[in-house]
mmCIF file of all heavy atoms in Angstrom:
data_model
loop_
_atom_site.group_PDB
_atom_site.id
_atom_site.type_symbol
_atom_site.label_atom_id
_atom_site.label_comp_id
_atom_site.label_asym_id
_atom_site.label_seq_id
_atom_site.Cartn_x
_atom_site.Cartn_y
_atom_site.Cartn_z
ATOM 1 N N VAL A 55 -15.485 4.018 -11.095
ATOM 2 C CA VAL A 55 -14.550 4.984 -10.570
ATOM 3 C C VAL A 55 -14.502 4.836 -9.057
ATOM 4 O O VAL A 55 -15.562 4.824 -8.386
ATOM 5 C CB VAL A 55 -15.054 6.442 -10.911
ATOM 6 C CG1 VAL A 55 -14.126 7.485 -10.330
ATOM 7 C CG2 VAL A 55 -15.209 6.609 -12.408
ATOM 8 N N VAL A 56 -13.292 4.678 -8.516
ATOM 9 C CA VAL A 56 -13.126 4.489 -7.077
ATOM 10 C C VAL A 56 -12.472 5.722 -6.502
ATOM 11 O O VAL A 56 -11.411 6.163 -6.963
ATOM 12 C CB VAL A 56 -12.259 3.221 -6.757
ATOM 13 C CG1 VAL A 56 -11.971 3.141 -5.261
ATOM 14 C CG2 VAL A 56 -12.915 2.012 -7.275
ATOM 15 N N GLY A 57 -13.099 6.323 -5.518
ATOM 16 C CA GLY A 57 -12.545 7.352 -4.719
ATOM 17 C C GLY A 57 -11.973 6.735 -3.448
ATOM 18 O O GLY A 57 -12.723 6.237 -2.594
ATOM 19 N N ALA A 58 -10.654 6.712 -3.313
ATOM 20 C CA ALA A 58 -9.988 5.925 -2.249
ATOM 21 C C ALA A 58 -9.641 6.773 -1.014
ATOM 22 O O ALA A 58 -8.691 6.515 -0.358
ATOM 23 C CB ALA A 58 -8.738 5.320 -2.808
ATOM 24 N N GLY A 59 -10.471 7.781 -0.775
ATOM 25 C CA GLY A 59 -10.175 8.639 0.375
ATOM 26 C C GLY A 59 -9.420 9.866 -0.089
ATOM 27 O O GLY A 59 -9.600 10.343 -1.215
ATOM 28 N N TRP A 60 -8.540 10.368 0.746
ATOM 29 C CA TRP A 60 -7.816 11.625 0.388
ATOM 30 C C TRP A 60 -6.538 11.356 -0.365
ATOM 31 O O TRP A 60 -5.884 12.321 -0.777
ATOM 32 C CB TRP A 60 -7.576 12.450 1.640
ATOM 33 C CG TRP A 60 -8.859 13.043 2.101
ATOM 34 C CD1 TRP A 60 -9.641 12.639 3.127
ATOM 35 C CD2 TRP A 60 -9.587 14.132 1.483
ATOM 36 N NE1 TRP A 60 -10.784 13.401 3.203
ATOM 37 C CE2 TRP A 60 -10.755 14.316 2.221
ATOM 38 C CE3 TRP A 60 -9.350 14.942 0.415
ATOM 39 C CZ2 TRP A 60 -11.678 15.317 1.896
ATOM 40 C CZ3 TRP A 60 -10.243 15.946 0.076
ATOM 41 C CH2 TRP A 60 -11.387 16.113 0.838
ATOM 42 N N GLN A 61 -6.189 10.127 -0.499
ATOM 43 C CA GLN A 61 -5.003 9.826 -1.321
ATOM 44 C C GLN A 61 -5.246 8.627 -2.193
ATOM 45 O O GLN A 61 -5.978 7.740 -1.799
ATOM 46 C CB GLN A 61 -3.737 9.643 -0.424
ATOM 47 C CG GLN A 61 -3.927 8.627 0.670
ATOM 48 C CD GLN A 61 -2.698 8.641 1.559
ATOM 49 O OE1 GLN A 61 -1.573 8.655 1.053
ATOM 50 N NE2 GLN A 61 -2.882 8.635 2.836
ATOM 51 N N SER A 62 -4.659 8.636 -3.342
ATOM 52 C CA SER A 62 -4.878 7.530 -4.272
ATOM 53 C C SER A 62 -4.159 6.298 -3.760
ATOM 54 O O SER A 62 -3.139 6.397 -3.127
ATOM 55 C CB SER A 62 -4.365 7.955 -5.655
ATOM 56 O OG SER A 62 -4.725 7.020 -6.621
ATOM 57 N N ARG A 63 -4.727 5.139 -4.067
ATOM 58 C CA ARG A 63 -4.082 3.854 -3.688
ATOM 59 C C ARG A 63 -4.016 2.995 -4.885
ATOM 60 O O ARG A 63 -4.759 3.152 -5.863
ATOM 61 C CB ARG A 63 -4.943 3.153 -2.641
ATOM 62 C CG ARG A 63 -5.198 3.938 -1.391
ATOM 63 C CD ARG A 63 -6.168 3.253 -0.487
ATOM 64 N NE ARG A 63 -6.660 4.215 0.538
ATOM 65 C CZ ARG A 63 -7.444 3.915 1.516
ATOM 66 N NH1 ARG A 63 -7.863 2.668 1.666
ATOM 67 N NH2 ARG A 63 -7.793 4.845 2.347
ATOM 68 N N LEU A 64 -3.111 2.031 -4.846
ATOM 69 C CA LEU A 64 -3.035 1.079 -5.937
ATOM 70 C C LEU A 64 -4.101 0.005 -5.717
ATOM 71 O O LEU A 64 -4.255 -0.498 -4.588
ATOM 72 C CB LEU A 64 -1.639 0.367 -5.997
ATOM 73 C CG LEU A 64 -0.521 1.316 -6.442
ATOM 74 C CD1 LEU A 64 0.774 0.537 -6.308
ATOM 75 C CD2 LEU A 64 -0.772 1.798 -7.826
ATOM 76 N N PRO A 65 -4.854 -0.360 -6.778
ATOM 77 C CA PRO A 65 -5.912 -1.386 -6.607
ATOM 78 C C PRO A 65 -5.261 -2.768 -6.556
ATOM 79 O O PRO A 65 -4.149 -2.949 -7.080
ATOM 80 C CB PRO A 65 -6.742 -1.236 -7.854
ATOM 81 C CG PRO A 65 -5.791 -0.640 -8.841
ATOM 82 C CD PRO A 65 -4.809 0.210 -8.069
ATOM 83 N N PRO A 66 -5.941 -3.728 -5.966
ATOM 84 C CA PRO A 66 -5.445 -5.091 -5.999
ATOM 85 C C PRO A 66 -5.306 -5.597 -7.433
ATOM 86 O O PRO A 66 -6.202 -5.368 -8.264
ATOM 87 C CB PRO A 66 -6.511 -5.886 -5.257
ATOM 88 C CG PRO A 66 -7.237 -4.878 -4.467
ATOM 89 C CD PRO A 66 -7.179 -3.623 -5.223
ATOM 90 N N ARG A 67 -4.196 -6.217 -7.700
ATOM 91 C CA ARG A 67 -3.911 -6.675 -9.102
ATOM 92 C C ARG A 67 -4.981 -7.615 -9.642
ATOM 93 O O ARG A 67 -5.377 -7.546 -10.759
ATOM 94 C CB ARG A 67 -2.555 -7.330 -9.097
ATOM 95 C CG ARG A 67 -2.009 -7.666 -10.400
ATOM 96 C CD ARG A 67 -0.630 -8.255 -10.223
ATOM 97 N NE ARG A 67 -0.106 -8.607 -11.527
ATOM 98 C CZ ARG A 67 1.038 -8.255 -11.978
ATOM 99 N NH1 ARG A 67 1.863 -7.560 -11.202
ATOM 100 N NH2 ARG A 67 1.394 -8.576 -13.188
ATOM 101 N N ASP A 68 -5.466 -8.535 -8.781
ATOM 102 C CA ASP A 68 -6.475 -9.500 -9.232
ATOM 103 C C ASP A 68 -7.770 -8.831 -9.640
ATOM 104 O O ASP A 68 -8.458 -9.250 -10.528
ATOM 105 C CB ASP A 68 -6.672 -10.601 -8.227
ATOM 106 C CG ASP A 68 -7.110 -10.094 -6.865
ATOM 107 O OD1 ASP A 68 -6.739 -8.961 -6.479
ATOM 108 O OD2 ASP A 68 -7.773 -10.851 -6.127
ATOM 109 N N LEU A 69 -8.090 -7.743 -8.926
ATOM 110 C CA LEU A 69 -9.318 -6.983 -9.240
ATOM 111 C C LEU A 69 -9.138 -6.317 -10.599
ATOM 112 O O LEU A 69 -10.062 -6.344 -11.441
ATOM 113 C CB LEU A 69 -9.603 -5.904 -8.170
ATOM 114 C CG LEU A 69 -10.760 -4.984 -8.458
ATOM 115 C CD1 LEU A 69 -12.082 -5.763 -8.661
ATOM 116 C CD2 LEU A 69 -10.940 -3.953 -7.372
ATOM 117 N N MET A 70 -7.998 -5.781 -10.903
ATOM 118 C CA MET A 70 -7.745 -5.100 -12.187
ATOM 119 C C MET A 70 -7.907 -6.126 -13.322
ATOM 120 O O MET A 70 -8.546 -5.844 -14.313
ATOM 121 C CB MET A 70 -6.367 -4.488 -12.233
ATOM 122 C CG MET A 70 -6.138 -3.373 -11.255
ATOM 123 S SD MET A 70 -7.117 -1.946 -11.714
ATOM 124 C CE MET A 70 -6.414 -1.505 -13.271
ATOM 125 N N PHE A 71 -7.347 -7.316 -13.158
ATOM 126 C CA PHE A 71 -7.431 -8.388 -14.167
ATOM 127 C C PHE A 71 -8.870 -8.844 -14.365
ATOM 128 O O PHE A 71 -9.356 -9.094 -15.444
ATOM 129 C CB PHE A 71 -6.517 -9.529 -13.864
ATOM 130 C CG PHE A 71 -5.076 -9.199 -14.023
ATOM 131 C CD1 PHE A 71 -4.147 -9.656 -13.067
ATOM 132 C CD2 PHE A 71 -4.580 -8.544 -15.131
ATOM 133 C CE1 PHE A 71 -2.800 -9.336 -13.190
ATOM 134 C CE2 PHE A 71 -3.254 -8.235 -15.273
ATOM 135 C CZ PHE A 71 -2.336 -8.653 -14.298
ATOM 136 N N ARG A 72 -9.580 -9.007 -13.245
ATOM 137 C CA ARG A 72 -10.981 -9.439 -13.291
ATOM 138 C C ARG A 72 -11.831 -8.454 -14.088
ATOM 139 O O ARG A 72 -12.628 -8.812 -14.935
ATOM 140 C CB ARG A 72 -11.517 -9.611 -11.877
ATOM 141 C CG ARG A 72 -12.988 -10.045 -11.861
ATOM 142 C CD ARG A 72 -13.450 -10.213 -10.475
ATOM 143 N NE ARG A 72 -14.871 -10.557 -10.498
ATOM 144 C CZ ARG A 72 -15.672 -10.447 -9.420
ATOM 145 N NH1 ARG A 72 -15.184 -10.060 -8.273
ATOM 146 N NH2 ARG A 72 -16.935 -10.766 -9.488
ATOM 147 N N LEU A 73 -11.703 -7.172 -13.722
ATOM 148 C CA LEU A 73 -12.507 -6.174 -14.441
ATOM 149 C C LEU A 73 -12.141 -6.073 -15.894
ATOM 150 O O LEU A 73 -13.000 -5.881 -16.761
ATOM 151 C CB LEU A 73 -12.345 -4.796 -13.762
ATOM 152 C CG LEU A 73 -12.947 -4.700 -12.393
ATOM 153 C CD1 LEU A 73 -12.498 -3.434 -11.663
ATOM 154 C CD2 LEU A 73 -14.455 -4.785 -12.453
ATOM 155 N N ALA A 74 -10.832 -6.252 -16.220
ATOM 156 C CA ALA A 74 -10.446 -6.277 -17.650
ATOM 157 C C ALA A 74 -11.063 -7.442 -18.367
ATOM 158 O O ALA A 74 -11.584 -7.243 -19.489
ATOM 159 C CB ALA A 74 -8.935 -6.374 -17.731
ATOM 160 N N ARG A 75 -11.101 -8.584 -17.765
ATOM 161 C CA ARG A 75 -11.747 -9.764 -18.384
ATOM 162 C C ARG A 75 -13.234 -9.507 -18.586
ATOM 163 O O ARG A 75 -13.868 -9.977 -19.548
ATOM 164 C CB ARG A 75 -11.551 -11.006 -17.527
ATOM 165 C CG ARG A 75 -10.182 -11.604 -17.609
ATOM 166 C CD ARG A 75 -10.077 -12.995 -16.972
ATOM 167 N NE ARG A 75 -10.547 -12.985 -15.583
ATOM 168 C CZ ARG A 75 -9.802 -12.769 -14.507
ATOM 169 N NH1 ARG A 75 -8.509 -12.451 -14.683
ATOM 170 N NH2 ARG A 75 -10.257 -12.817 -13.283
ATOM 171 N N GLU A 76 -13.856 -8.813 -17.650
ATOM 172 C CA GLU A 76 -15.309 -8.474 -17.744
ATOM 173 C C GLU A 76 -15.585 -7.332 -18.675
ATOM 174 O O GLU A 76 -16.767 -7.058 -19.000
ATOM 175 C CB GLU A 76 -15.856 -8.141 -16.359
ATOM 176 C CG GLU A 76 -15.745 -9.267 -15.329
ATOM 177 C CD GLU A 76 -16.831 -10.266 -15.523
ATOM 178 O OE1 GLU A 76 -17.818 -10.066 -16.191
ATOM 179 O OE2 GLU A 76 -16.663 -11.396 -14.899
ATOM 180 N N GLY A 77 -14.567 -6.636 -19.193
ATOM 181 C CA GLY A 77 -14.758 -5.510 -20.038
ATOM 182 C C GLY A 77 -15.263 -4.259 -19.350
ATOM 183 O O GLY A 77 -15.908 -3.403 -19.980
ATOM 184 N N ILE A 78 -14.938 -4.154 -18.086
ATOM 185 C CA ILE A 78 -15.380 -2.984 -17.314
ATOM 186 C C ILE A 78 -14.152 -2.129 -17.031
ATOM 187 O O ILE A 78 -13.137 -2.570 -16.486
ATOM 188 C CB ILE A 78 -16.000 -3.444 -15.947
ATOM 189 C CG1 ILE A 78 -17.231 -4.322 -16.197
ATOM 190 C CG2 ILE A 78 -16.329 -2.234 -15.083
ATOM 191 C CD1 ILE A 78 -17.837 -4.964 -15.000
ATOM 192 N N GLY A 79 -14.266 -0.841 -17.390
ATOM 193 C CA GLY A 79 -13.179 0.108 -17.126
ATOM 194 C C GLY A 79 -13.065 0.345 -15.608
ATOM 195 O O GLY A 79 -14.045 0.206 -14.884
ATOM 196 N N PHE A 80 -11.899 0.796 -15.209
ATOM 197 C CA PHE A 80 -11.643 0.935 -13.756
ATOM 198 C C PHE A 80 -10.628 2.107 -13.589
ATOM 199 O O PHE A 80 -9.571 2.079 -14.212
ATOM 200 C CB PHE A 80 -11.093 -0.329 -13.193
ATOM 201 C CG PHE A 80 -10.883 -0.288 -11.682
ATOM 202 C CD1 PHE A 80 -11.941 -0.432 -10.845
ATOM 203 C CD2 PHE A 80 -9.602 -0.209 -11.164
ATOM 204 C CE1 PHE A 80 -11.755 -0.405 -9.470
ATOM 205 C CE2 PHE A 80 -9.411 -0.169 -9.844
ATOM 206 C CZ PHE A 80 -10.468 -0.313 -8.955
ATOM 207 N N GLU A 81 -11.002 3.029 -12.743
ATOM 208 C CA GLU A 81 -10.093 4.166 -12.341
ATOM 209 C C GLU A 81 -10.134 4.318 -10.902
ATOM 210 O O GLU A 81 -11.168 4.266 -10.266
ATOM 211 C CB GLU A 81 -10.556 5.452 -13.054
ATOM 212 C CG GLU A 81 -10.494 5.455 -14.559
ATOM 213 C CD GLU A 81 -9.102 5.390 -15.100
ATOM 214 O OE1 GLU A 81 -8.147 5.892 -14.439
ATOM 215 O OE2 GLU A 81 -8.917 4.885 -16.216
ATOM 216 N N ILE A 82 -8.938 4.525 -10.290
ATOM 217 C CA ILE A 82 -8.853 4.772 -8.848
ATOM 218 C C ILE A 82 -8.098 6.081 -8.624
ATOM 219 O O ILE A 82 -7.112 6.319 -9.283
ATOM 220 C CB ILE A 82 -8.214 3.568 -8.121
ATOM 221 C CG1 ILE A 82 -8.341 3.754 -6.613
ATOM 222 C CG2 ILE A 82 -6.795 3.360 -8.564
ATOM 223 C CD1 ILE A 82 -8.046 2.472 -5.797
ATOM 224 N N MET A 83 -8.637 6.907 -7.760
ATOM 225 C CA MET A 83 -8.098 8.202 -7.494
ATOM 226 C C MET A 83 -8.547 8.675 -6.146
ATOM 227 O O MET A 83 -9.292 7.947 -5.451
ATOM 228 C CB MET A 83 -8.464 9.182 -8.587
ATOM 229 C CG MET A 83 -9.978 9.310 -8.776
ATOM 230 S SD MET A 83 -10.523 10.016 -10.348
ATOM 231 C CE MET A 83 -10.225 8.692 -11.462
ATOM 232 N N ASP A 84 -8.150 9.848 -5.701
ATOM 233 C CA ASP A 84 -8.683 10.335 -4.443
ATOM 234 C C ASP A 84 -10.184 10.669 -4.609
ATOM 235 O O ASP A 84 -10.669 10.821 -5.704
ATOM 236 C CB ASP A 84 -7.897 11.563 -3.898
ATOM 237 C CG ASP A 84 -7.954 12.778 -4.797
ATOM 238 O OD1 ASP A 84 -9.041 13.271 -5.077
ATOM 239 O OD2 ASP A 84 -6.879 13.251 -5.213
ATOM 240 N N THR A 85 -10.892 10.715 -3.488
ATOM 241 C CA THR A 85 -12.348 10.847 -3.553
ATOM 242 C C THR A 85 -12.835 12.148 -4.189
ATOM 243 O O THR A 85 -13.753 12.067 -5.005
ATOM 244 C CB THR A 85 -12.960 10.679 -2.140
ATOM 245 O OG1 THR A 85 -12.648 9.301 -1.697
ATOM 246 C CG2 THR A 85 -14.455 10.853 -2.119
ATOM 247 N N PRO A 86 -12.221 13.314 -3.931
ATOM 248 C CA PRO A 86 -12.688 14.518 -4.628
ATOM 249 C C PRO A 86 -12.575 14.404 -6.139
ATOM 250 O O PRO A 86 -13.445 14.768 -6.890
ATOM 251 C CB PRO A 86 -11.798 15.611 -4.041
ATOM 252 C CG PRO A 86 -11.433 15.141 -2.693
ATOM 253 C CD PRO A 86 -11.237 13.661 -2.836
ATOM 254 N N ALA A 87 -11.459 13.851 -6.626
ATOM 255 C CA ALA A 87 -11.235 13.652 -8.070
ATOM 256 C C ALA A 87 -12.268 12.617 -8.618
ATOM 257 O O ALA A 87 -12.773 12.782 -9.727
ATOM 258 C CB ALA A 87 -9.830 13.196 -8.368
ATOM 259 N N ALA A 88 -12.524 11.558 -7.842
ATOM 260 C CA ALA A 88 -13.511 10.577 -8.287
ATOM 261 C C ALA A 88 -14.903 11.147 -8.418
ATOM 262 O O ALA A 88 -15.619 10.817 -9.361
ATOM 263 C CB ALA A 88 -13.526 9.390 -7.340
ATOM 264 N N CYS A 89 -15.261 12.059 -7.498
ATOM 265 C CA CYS A 89 -16.577 12.703 -7.577
ATOM 266 C C CYS A 89 -16.669 13.537 -8.853
ATOM 267 O O CYS A 89 -17.664 13.464 -9.571
ATOM 268 C CB CYS A 89 -16.819 13.608 -6.359
ATOM 269 S SG CYS A 89 -17.095 12.681 -4.837
ATOM 270 N N ARG A 90 -15.629 14.297 -9.150
ATOM 271 C CA ARG A 90 -15.617 15.109 -10.362
ATOM 272 C C ARG A 90 -15.670 14.245 -11.614
ATOM 273 O O ARG A 90 -16.438 14.493 -12.552
ATOM 274 C CB ARG A 90 -14.392 16.010 -10.410
ATOM 275 C CG ARG A 90 -14.374 17.110 -9.344
ATOM 276 C CD ARG A 90 -13.210 18.058 -9.527
ATOM 277 N NE ARG A 90 -11.926 17.450 -9.469
ATOM 278 C CZ ARG A 90 -11.216 17.278 -8.350
ATOM 279 N NH1 ARG A 90 -11.718 17.692 -7.190
ATOM 280 N NH2 ARG A 90 -10.020 16.732 -8.388
ATOM 281 N N THR A 91 -14.889 13.166 -11.647
ATOM 282 C CA THR A 91 -14.882 12.287 -12.772
ATOM 283 C C THR A 91 -16.195 11.573 -12.968
ATOM 284 O O THR A 91 -16.707 11.493 -14.102
ATOM 285 C CB THR A 91 -13.749 11.219 -12.593
ATOM 286 O OG1 THR A 91 -12.490 11.900 -12.469
ATOM 287 C CG2 THR A 91 -13.691 10.262 -13.763
ATOM 288 N N PHE A 92 -16.783 11.119 -11.900
ATOM 289 C CA PHE A 92 -18.092 10.441 -11.968
ATOM 290 C C PHE A 92 -19.146 11.422 -12.560
ATOM 291 O O PHE A 92 -19.931 11.077 -13.447
ATOM 292 C CB PHE A 92 -18.540 9.959 -10.605
ATOM 293 C CG PHE A 92 -19.897 9.317 -10.587
ATOM 294 C CD1 PHE A 92 -20.081 8.072 -11.089
ATOM 295 C CD2 PHE A 92 -20.981 9.983 -10.046
ATOM 296 C CE1 PHE A 92 -21.348 7.477 -11.097
ATOM 297 C CE2 PHE A 92 -22.242 9.458 -10.037
ATOM 298 C CZ PHE A 92 -22.411 8.163 -10.529
ATOM 299 N N ASN A 93 -19.160 12.649 -12.083
ATOM 300 C CA ASN A 93 -20.122 13.647 -12.553
ATOM 301 C C ASN A 93 -19.935 13.897 -14.066
ATOM 302 O O ASN A 93 -20.913 14.011 -14.821
ATOM 303 C CB ASN A 93 -20.013 14.924 -11.803
ATOM 304 C CG ASN A 93 -20.635 14.847 -10.420
ATOM 305 O OD1 ASN A 93 -21.528 14.030 -10.181
ATOM 306 N ND2 ASN A 93 -20.125 15.623 -9.482
ATOM 307 N N ILE A 94 -18.693 13.957 -14.511
ATOM 308 C CA ILE A 94 -18.428 14.216 -15.938
ATOM 309 C C ILE A 94 -18.959 12.996 -16.760
ATOM 310 O O ILE A 94 -19.608 13.151 -17.761
ATOM 311 C CB ILE A 94 -16.952 14.440 -16.200
ATOM 312 C CG1 ILE A 94 -16.509 15.801 -15.651
ATOM 313 C CG2 ILE A 94 -16.614 14.317 -17.682
ATOM 314 C CD1 ILE A 94 -15.044 16.010 -15.578
#
């Protein structure tokens, strides 16, 4: 889970593909939402 500061950003496309190949889920959002998501 990536908290990208106070506003969500699009992740680099190559990173998304790499993580998909590795079988690792990936979510990017603003940092407060990422903190809540990580805790859950």
Side-chain angles (χ1 to χ4, degrees):
V55 178
V56 175
W60 288 102
Q61 51 186 316
S62 190
R63 302 174 194 184
L64 291 175
R67 188 177 179 129
D68 57 331
L69 175 60
M70 294 293 295
F71 290 135
R72 179 180 176 197
L73 292 169
R75 285 190 305 272
E76 297 282 344
I78 298 172
F80 184 77
E81 296 291 333
I82 189 165
M83 57 199 73
D84 64 58
T85 297
C89 290
R90 292 188 299 271
T91 301
F92 178 75
N93 285 334
I94 290 168

